[in-house]
Amino acid sequence: MNDLARTPRQIGTTIQRARKKRDWTQMQLAERAGLRQATISLIESGEKPAKLDSILAVLAALDLEFRIGPRSKGHGQDIEELF
């Protein structure tokens, strides 16, 4: 998995896809990440800002990592089509 995410909603969608790929419920992911199910729901919806430490806990539970790199030169519309 090597997804690009630039917005909270895109991060949430990426996390949701990874969770569903493992056939986990939000509750199962929450237990593995040490968070509440409601927090997972908020992260996946991308509607409210999530704490970075919560996102990192979720990524660790999914055996994923956070990387920072130069912004690609694609158009915003191209990136939105990924989600």
Side-chain angles (χ1 to χ4, degrees):
M1 173 180 250
N2 195 16
D3 292 336
L4 173 65
R6 291 185 176 162
T7 67
R9 184 169 184 224
Q10 291 171 343
I11 292 168
T13 299
T14 300
I15 287 171
Q16 184 180 57
R17 284 182 184 163
R19 174 181 62 79
K20 288 183 175 184
K21 184 176 180 180
R22 289 163 176 74
D23 293 321
W24 292 354
T25 64
Q26 286 184 346
M27 182 60 89
Q28 289 170 314
L29 177 54
E31 289 170 357
R32 287 173 168 87
L35 301 169
R36 297 176 326 125
Q37 179 274 328
T39 302
I40 301 301
S41 179
L42 287 173
I43 290 170
E44 287 186 358
S45 73
E47 291 178 20
K48 284 188 163 184
K51 292 181 181 179
L52 182 57
D53 59 338
S54 296
I55 292 172
L56 293 174
V58 169
L59 293 175
L62 292 166
D63 199 28
L64 298 173
E65 62 187 7
F66 180 78
R67 292 179 187 231
I68 298 175
R71 190 177 273 262
S72 61
K73 302 299 181 201
H75 298 288
Q77 209 170 23
D78 297 338
I79 292 166
E80 286 296 326
E81 290 174 8
L82 295 173
F83 297 89

